[in-house]
């Protein structure tokens, strides 16, 4: 029979393989996800169910979905895959639409799906026998009889990532983990543990480049604290060897060089939201025509619209968006924090300012080993979410293009 490997949510196995014939799902997991998970067997002599606990990878569904989206498999990609399969198999999406499928999967009681089935058949047959009768198609399809055939065609070739994404809105599935059971193929000598616990590949990662080393350190630490389940998707410049892009001018030169030759990395460039940063951002945002390079700046915030500033003419409350917002402004700063204006930038027709005591705020943040109960993370979380959103969009474009290029 061979050694089996499976990807499952509760009792629902959404992908499986044998020996060396399986889909690699290592990008969904981190080394910390290694734990004992249930493996289901049937005793051939007594026909009784057997559950054994062995090593495998296990992660909550919502965290797996976040990682799937960083691979580009978003809701829009799921819909594109469904419609591609509808064209390929010539089934009528008016009888059973993507929205019908979403609704049906959201109501599926996956805890009551039988764990006994013939693992020799494909997911389409498994879907017909075990899942389809539980979908309440008559509630969601215009013509339930014909919808059955359309739904089965749709599910036969849907990727496991689309099925996982559809389960996001299932209230039972949201409480469960996504388990990858590789123990049997490891024991059988078909794979090594290192092959199964290796995380995302290089072409699935994102290189974050900022104006200075402080920006990179703060963003990396924010990911560690607030989005630890995604940290391994991001690479940063080695700051111990001297940061090469200090200042917006050097960063602009680097970006101009990047656009002149082919680069394979997925790159996210982040400028400050001060006078120099905005000037650099505007200089570069129209240069880039590559799908794997995104130019960002730190976001404008309403709370920066009226911020205390100090200058030659004294204390004033001014809008510092685009003039003096650096990464430290997104940390938990004091209510009376202020910006000190420094030099006038003639090329930008604006004064450059910086946050007073910014090193104090930075060090306080970087010293945190875990989330602090009374610390305000809302602003820095917004920065992280903006970066992740841009990364998801970048990879989504790649996946959508792949469906457009497929023959049918």
């Amino acid at each position: 029979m061979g050694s089996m490997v499976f990807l499952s949510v509760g009792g629902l196995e959404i992908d499986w393989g044998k020996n060396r014939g399986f889909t690699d799902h290592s990008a969904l997991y981190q080394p910390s996800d290694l734990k004992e998970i249930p493996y289901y067997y049937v005793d051939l002599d007594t026909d009784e169910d057997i559950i054994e606990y062995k090593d495998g990878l296990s992660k909550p569904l919502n965290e797996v979905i976040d990682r799937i989206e960083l691979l580009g498999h978003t809701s829009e990609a799921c819909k594109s895959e469904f419609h591609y399969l509808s064209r390929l198999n010539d089934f009528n999406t008016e009888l059973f639409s993507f929205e019908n499928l979403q609704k049906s999967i959201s109501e599926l009681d996956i805890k009551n799906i039988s764990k006994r089935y013939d693992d020799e058949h494909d997911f389409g047959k498994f879907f017909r026998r075990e899942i389809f009768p539980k979908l309440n198609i008559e509630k969601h399809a215009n013509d339930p009889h014909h919808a059955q055939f359309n739904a089965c065609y749709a599910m036969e070739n849907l990727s496991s990532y689309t099925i996982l994404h559809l389960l996001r809105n299932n209230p039972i599935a949201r409480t469960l983990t996504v388990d990858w059971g590789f123990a049997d193929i490891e024991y059988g000598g078909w794979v090594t543990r290192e092959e199964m616990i290796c995380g995302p590949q290089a072409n699935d990662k994102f290189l974050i480049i900022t104006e200075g080393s402080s920006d990179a350190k703060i963003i990396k630490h924010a990911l560690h604290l607030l989005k630890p389940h995604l940290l391994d998707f991001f690479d940063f410049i080695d700051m111990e060897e001297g940061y090469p892009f200090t200042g917006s001018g050097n960063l602009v030169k680097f970006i101009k060089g990047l656009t002149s030759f082919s680069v394979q990395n997925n790159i996210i460039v982040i400028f400050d939201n001060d006078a120099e940063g905005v000037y650099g951002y505007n200089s570069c945002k129209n240069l880039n025509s590559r799908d794997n390079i995104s130019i960002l700046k730190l976001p404008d915030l309403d709370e920066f619209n009226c911020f205390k500033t100090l200058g030659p003419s004294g204390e004033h409350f001014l809008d510092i968006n685009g003039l003096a917002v650096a990464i430290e402004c997104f940390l938990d700063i004091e209510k009376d924090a202020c910006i000190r204006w420094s030099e006038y930038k003639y090329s930008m027709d604006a004064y450059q300012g910086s946050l007073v005591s910014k090193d104090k705020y930075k060090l306080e943040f970087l010293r945190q080993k875990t989330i602090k109960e009374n610390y305000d993370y809302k602003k820095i979380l917004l920065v992280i979410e903006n970066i992740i959103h841009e990364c998801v969009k970048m990879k989504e474009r790649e996946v959508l293009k792949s469906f457009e290029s497929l023959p049918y």
Side-chain angles (χ1 to χ4, degrees), residues 147-172:
Q148 175 176 358
F149 297 99
N150 285 277
C152 291
Y153 272 128
M155 293 299 289
E156 272 193 28
N157 296 301
L158 273 183
S159 70
S160 53
Y161 291 177
T162 288
I163 298 165
L164 285 171
H165 219 294
L166 290 169
L167 286 169
R168 166 180 254 177
N169 295 320
N170 184 299
I172 297 175

mmCIF file of all heavy atoms in Angstrom, residues 147-172:
data_model
loop_
_atom_site.group_PDB
_atom_site.id
_atom_site.type_symbol
_atom_site.label_atom_id
_atom_site.label_comp_id
_atom_site.label_asym_id
_atom_site.label_seq_id
_atom_site.Cartn_x
_atom_site.Cartn_y
_atom_site.Cartn_z
ATOM 1 N N ALA A 147 -26.861 20.689 -10.180
ATOM 2 C CA ALA A 147 -25.796 21.333 -9.405
ATOM 3 C C ALA A 147 -24.838 20.306 -8.823
ATOM 4 O O ALA A 147 -23.652 20.573 -8.652
ATOM 5 C CB ALA A 147 -26.384 22.180 -8.283
ATOM 6 N N GLN A 148 -25.367 19.106 -8.509
ATOM 7 C CA GLN A 148 -24.503 18.061 -7.950
ATOM 8 C C GLN A 148 -23.325 17.771 -8.879
ATOM 9 O O GLN A 148 -22.182 17.694 -8.449
ATOM 10 C CB GLN A 148 -25.292 16.794 -7.702
ATOM 11 C CG GLN A 148 -24.405 15.642 -7.224
ATOM 12 C CD GLN A 148 -25.206 14.408 -6.885
ATOM 13 O OE1 GLN A 148 -26.428 14.412 -6.959
ATOM 14 N NE2 GLN A 148 -24.525 13.349 -6.494
ATOM 15 N N PHE A 149 -23.607 17.612 -10.158
ATOM 16 C CA PHE A 149 -22.539 17.296 -11.101
ATOM 17 C C PHE A 149 -21.578 18.468 -11.240
ATOM 18 O O PHE A 149 -20.363 18.292 -11.308
ATOM 19 C CB PHE A 149 -23.145 16.926 -12.453
ATOM 20 C CG PHE A 149 -24.001 15.694 -12.395
ATOM 21 C CD1 PHE A 149 -25.377 15.801 -12.304
ATOM 22 C CD2 PHE A 149 -23.423 14.433 -12.396
ATOM 23 C CE1 PHE A 149 -26.174 14.661 -12.239
ATOM 24 C CE2 PHE A 149 -24.208 13.290 -12.332
ATOM 25 C CZ PHE A 149 -25.587 13.397 -12.252
ATOM 26 N N ASN A 150 -22.124 19.688 -11.280
ATOM 27 C CA ASN A 150 -21.266 20.864 -11.402
ATOM 28 C C ASN A 150 -20.384 21.034 -10.178
ATOM 29 O O ASN A 150 -19.198 21.357 -10.276
ATOM 30 C CB ASN A 150 -22.132 22.113 -11.607
ATOM 31 C CG ASN A 150 -22.700 22.204 -13.000
ATOM 32 O OD1 ASN A 150 -22.042 22.657 -13.916
ATOM 33 N ND2 ASN A 150 -23.921 21.725 -13.178
ATOM 34 N N ALA A 151 -20.958 20.812 -8.997
ATOM 35 C CA ALA A 151 -20.184 20.971 -7.772
ATOM 36 C C ALA A 151 -19.055 19.950 -7.697
ATOM 37 O O ALA A 151 -17.935 20.274 -7.300
ATOM 38 C CB ALA A 151 -21.100 20.830 -6.558
ATOM 39 N N CYS A 152 -19.345 18.713 -8.082
ATOM 40 C CA CYS A 152 -18.311 17.679 -8.031
ATOM 41 C C CYS A 152 -17.190 17.958 -9.025
ATOM 42 O O CYS A 152 -16.014 17.764 -8.726
ATOM 43 C CB CYS A 152 -18.929 16.310 -8.280
ATOM 44 S SG CYS A 152 -20.005 15.761 -6.934
ATOM 45 N N TYR A 153 -17.561 18.427 -10.222
ATOM 46 C CA TYR A 153 -16.535 18.835 -11.178
ATOM 47 C C TYR A 153 -15.666 19.944 -10.581
ATOM 48 O O TYR A 153 -14.447 19.963 -10.743
ATOM 49 C CB TYR A 153 -17.180 19.340 -12.461
ATOM 50 C CG TYR A 153 -17.464 18.258 -13.478
ATOM 51 C CD1 TYR A 153 -18.736 18.130 -14.030
ATOM 52 C CD2 TYR A 153 -16.466 17.385 -13.897
ATOM 53 C CE1 TYR A 153 -19.012 17.142 -14.964
ATOM 54 C CE2 TYR A 153 -16.729 16.395 -14.830
ATOM 55 C CZ TYR A 153 -18.004 16.274 -15.365
ATOM 56 O OH TYR A 153 -18.270 15.304 -16.282
ATOM 57 N N ALA A 154 -16.336 20.887 -9.907
ATOM 58 C CA ALA A 154 -15.601 22.023 -9.338
ATOM 59 C C ALA A 154 -14.606 21.556 -8.284
ATOM 60 O O ALA A 154 -13.471 22.031 -8.219
ATOM 61 C CB ALA A 154 -16.583 23.021 -8.719
ATOM 62 N N MET A 155 -15.029 20.601 -7.454
ATOM 63 C CA MET A 155 -14.198 20.197 -6.334
ATOM 64 C C MET A 155 -13.112 19.190 -6.712
ATOM 65 O O MET A 155 -12.143 19.026 -5.981
ATOM 66 C CB MET A 155 -15.079 19.597 -5.235
ATOM 67 C CG MET A 155 -16.003 20.603 -4.573
ATOM 68 S SD MET A 155 -15.111 21.948 -3.763
ATOM 69 C CE MET A 155 -14.395 21.073 -2.381
ATOM 70 N N GLU A 156 -13.267 18.503 -7.836
ATOM 71 C CA GLU A 156 -12.300 17.468 -8.196
ATOM 72 C C GLU A 156 -10.879 17.998 -8.261
ATOM 73 O O GLU A 156 -9.947 17.328 -7.855
ATOM 74 C CB GLU A 156 -12.676 16.830 -9.536
ATOM 75 C CG GLU A 156 -13.615 15.670 -9.401
ATOM 76 C CD GLU A 156 -13.710 14.871 -10.689
ATOM 77 O OE1 GLU A 156 -12.742 14.863 -11.455
ATOM 78 O OE2 GLU A 156 -14.761 14.265 -10.907
ATOM 79 N N ASN A 157 -10.717 19.213 -8.779
ATOM 80 C CA ASN A 157 -9.373 19.738 -9.018
ATOM 81 C C ASN A 157 -9.056 21.000 -8.237
ATOM 82 O O ASN A 157 -8.012 21.611 -8.460
ATOM 83 C CB ASN A 157 -9.186 20.003 -10.516
ATOM 84 C CG ASN A 157 -9.272 18.720 -11.326
ATOM 85 O OD1 ASN A 157 -8.503 17.803 -11.118
ATOM 86 N ND2 ASN A 157 -10.241 18.648 -12.235
ATOM 87 N N LEU A 158 -9.947 21.409 -7.337
ATOM 88 C CA LEU A 158 -9.644 22.582 -6.519
ATOM 89 C C LEU A 158 -8.409 22.313 -5.673
ATOM 90 O O LEU A 158 -8.272 21.240 -5.088
ATOM 91 C CB LEU A 158 -10.816 22.926 -5.600
ATOM 92 C CG LEU A 158 -11.924 23.828 -6.133
ATOM 93 C CD1 LEU A 158 -12.939 24.103 -5.034
ATOM 94 C CD2 LEU A 158 -11.390 25.139 -6.684
ATOM 95 N N SER A 159 -7.531 23.288 -5.578
ATOM 96 C CA SER A 159 -6.331 23.116 -4.771
ATOM 97 C C SER A 159 -6.687 23.090 -3.289
ATOM 98 O O SER A 159 -7.711 23.616 -2.855
ATOM 99 C CB SER A 159 -5.346 24.262 -5.043
ATOM 100 O OG SER A 159 -5.851 25.471 -4.515
ATOM 101 N N SER A 160 -5.821 22.463 -2.519
ATOM 102 C CA SER A 160 -6.052 22.391 -1.071
ATOM 103 C C SER A 160 -6.056 23.776 -0.445
ATOM 104 O O SER A 160 -6.746 24.014 0.554
ATOM 105 C CB SER A 160 -4.980 21.515 -0.420
ATOM 106 O OG SER A 160 -3.681 21.948 -0.777
ATOM 107 N N TYR A 161 -5.312 24.746 -1.030
ATOM 108 C CA TYR A 161 -5.275 26.090 -0.463
ATOM 109 C C TYR A 161 -6.618 26.800 -0.645
ATOM 110 O O TYR A 161 -7.050 27.562 0.214
ATOM 111 C CB TYR A 161 -4.147 26.917 -1.091
ATOM 112 C CG TYR A 161 -2.761 26.442 -0.699
ATOM 113 C CD1 TYR A 161 -1.628 27.041 -1.219
ATOM 114 C CD2 TYR A 161 -2.594 25.393 0.198
ATOM 115 C CE1 TYR A 161 -0.359 26.608 -0.860
ATOM 116 C CE2 TYR A 161 -1.337 24.946 0.561
ATOM 117 C CZ TYR A 161 -0.223 25.558 0.023
ATOM 118 O OH TYR A 161 1.029 25.117 0.387
ATOM 119 N N THR A 162 -7.291 26.532 -1.766
ATOM 120 C CA THR A 162 -8.619 27.107 -1.957
ATOM 121 C C THR A 162 -9.607 26.495 -0.968
ATOM 122 O O THR A 162 -10.429 27.203 -0.375
ATOM 123 C CB THR A 162 -9.098 26.886 -3.403
ATOM 124 O OG1 THR A 162 -8.345 27.733 -4.267
ATOM 125 C CG2 THR A 162 -10.578 27.232 -3.560
ATOM 126 N N ILE A 163 -9.525 25.198 -0.755
ATOM 127 C CA ILE A 163 -10.427 24.550 0.201
ATOM 128 C C ILE A 163 -10.192 25.097 1.602
ATOM 129 O O ILE A 163 -11.141 25.396 2.342
ATOM 130 C CB ILE A 163 -10.230 23.023 0.163
ATOM 131 C CG1 ILE A 163 -10.585 22.486 -1.225
ATOM 132 C CG2 ILE A 163 -11.106 22.343 1.213
ATOM 133 C CD1 ILE A 163 -10.103 21.077 -1.486
ATOM 134 N N LEU A 164 -8.932 25.267 1.983
ATOM 135 C CA LEU A 164 -8.631 25.850 3.293
ATOM 136 C C LEU A 164 -9.207 27.256 3.402
ATOM 137 O O LEU A 164 -9.767 27.634 4.438
ATOM 138 C CB LEU A 164 -7.117 25.884 3.517
ATOM 139 C CG LEU A 164 -6.440 24.557 3.854
ATOM 140 C CD1 LEU A 164 -4.930 24.709 3.832
ATOM 141 C CD2 LEU A 164 -6.902 24.049 5.218
ATOM 142 N N HIS A 165 -9.055 28.033 2.342
ATOM 143 C CA HIS A 165 -9.564 29.397 2.360
ATOM 144 C C HIS A 165 -11.090 29.406 2.512
ATOM 145 O O HIS A 165 -11.646 30.243 3.243
ATOM 146 C CB HIS A 165 -9.157 30.126 1.078
ATOM 147 C CG HIS A 165 -8.777 31.555 1.309
ATOM 148 N ND1 HIS A 165 -9.682 32.511 1.724
ATOM 149 C CD2 HIS A 165 -7.593 32.208 1.185
ATOM 150 C CE1 HIS A 165 -9.076 33.676 1.838
ATOM 151 N NE2 HIS A 165 -7.800 33.524 1.518
ATOM 152 N N LEU A 166 -11.763 28.488 1.842
ATOM 153 C CA LEU A 166 -13.220 28.408 1.953
ATOM 154 C C LEU A 166 -13.656 28.029 3.370
ATOM 155 O O LEU A 166 -14.727 28.432 3.827
ATOM 156 C CB LEU A 166 -13.755 27.391 0.946
ATOM 157 C CG LEU A 166 -13.671 27.794 -0.524
ATOM 158 C CD1 LEU A 166 -13.969 26.603 -1.419
ATOM 159 C CD2 LEU A 166 -14.628 28.940 -0.830
ATOM 160 N N LEU A 167 -12.817 27.274 4.055
ATOM 161 C CA LEU A 167 -13.151 26.867 5.425
ATOM 162 C C LEU A 167 -12.990 28.008 6.429
ATOM 163 O O LEU A 167 -13.421 27.881 7.584
ATOM 164 C CB LEU A 167 -12.263 25.698 5.853
ATOM 165 C CG LEU A 167 -12.606 24.342 5.229
ATOM 166 C CD1 LEU A 167 -11.499 23.337 5.517
ATOM 167 C CD2 LEU A 167 -13.948 23.839 5.747
ATOM 168 N N ARG A 168 -12.399 29.120 6.004
ATOM 169 C CA ARG A 168 -12.194 30.251 6.910
ATOM 170 C C ARG A 168 -13.501 30.738 7.526
ATOM 171 O O ARG A 168 -13.537 31.159 8.694
ATOM 172 C CB ARG A 168 -11.513 31.394 6.158
ATOM 173 C CG ARG A 168 -11.551 32.727 6.880
ATOM 174 C CD ARG A 168 -10.866 33.810 6.088
ATOM 175 N NE ARG A 168 -9.580 34.130 6.684
ATOM 176 C CZ ARG A 168 -8.717 34.996 6.182
ATOM 177 N NH1 ARG A 168 -8.980 35.594 5.039
ATOM 178 N NH2 ARG A 168 -7.584 35.253 6.790
ATOM 179 N N ASN A 169 -14.591 30.674 6.765
ATOM 180 C CA ASN A 169 -15.879 31.164 7.251
ATOM 181 C C ASN A 169 -16.725 30.068 7.882
ATOM 182 O O ASN A 169 -17.900 30.285 8.172
ATOM 183 C CB ASN A 169 -16.652 31.814 6.091
ATOM 184 C CG ASN A 169 -15.966 33.058 5.575
ATOM 185 O OD1 ASN A 169 -15.438 33.849 6.354
ATOM 186 N ND2 ASN A 169 -15.952 33.238 4.259
ATOM 187 N N ASN A 170 -16.129 28.915 8.092
ATOM 188 C CA ASN A 170 -16.836 27.817 8.755
ATOM 189 C C ASN A 170 -16.584 27.914 10.257
ATOM 190 O O ASN A 170 -15.442 27.804 10.699
ATOM 191 C CB ASN A 170 -16.328 26.474 8.211
ATOM 192 C CG ASN A 170 -17.071 25.289 8.775
ATOM 193 O OD1 ASN A 170 -17.063 25.058 9.970
ATOM 194 N ND2 ASN A 170 -17.695 24.521 7.902
ATOM 195 N N PRO A 171 -17.619 28.138 11.069
ATOM 196 C CA PRO A 171 -17.399 28.371 12.506
ATOM 197 C C PRO A 171 -16.764 27.193 13.229
ATOM 198 O O PRO A 171 -16.042 27.386 14.208
ATOM 199 C CB PRO A 171 -18.813 28.650 13.041
ATOM 200 C CG PRO A 171 -19.747 28.104 12.016
ATOM 201 C CD PRO A 171 -19.044 28.223 10.704
ATOM 202 N N ILE A 172 -17.005 25.969 12.762
ATOM 203 C CA ILE A 172 -16.371 24.803 13.389
ATOM 204 C C ILE A 172 -14.901 24.743 13.002
ATOM 205 O O ILE A 172 -14.017 24.563 13.842
ATOM 206 C CB ILE A 172 -17.091 23.509 12.973
ATOM 207 C CG1 ILE A 172 -18.536 23.514 13.472
ATOM 208 C CG2 ILE A 172 -16.350 22.287 13.514
ATOM 209 C CD1 ILE A 172 -19.360 22.341 13.000
#
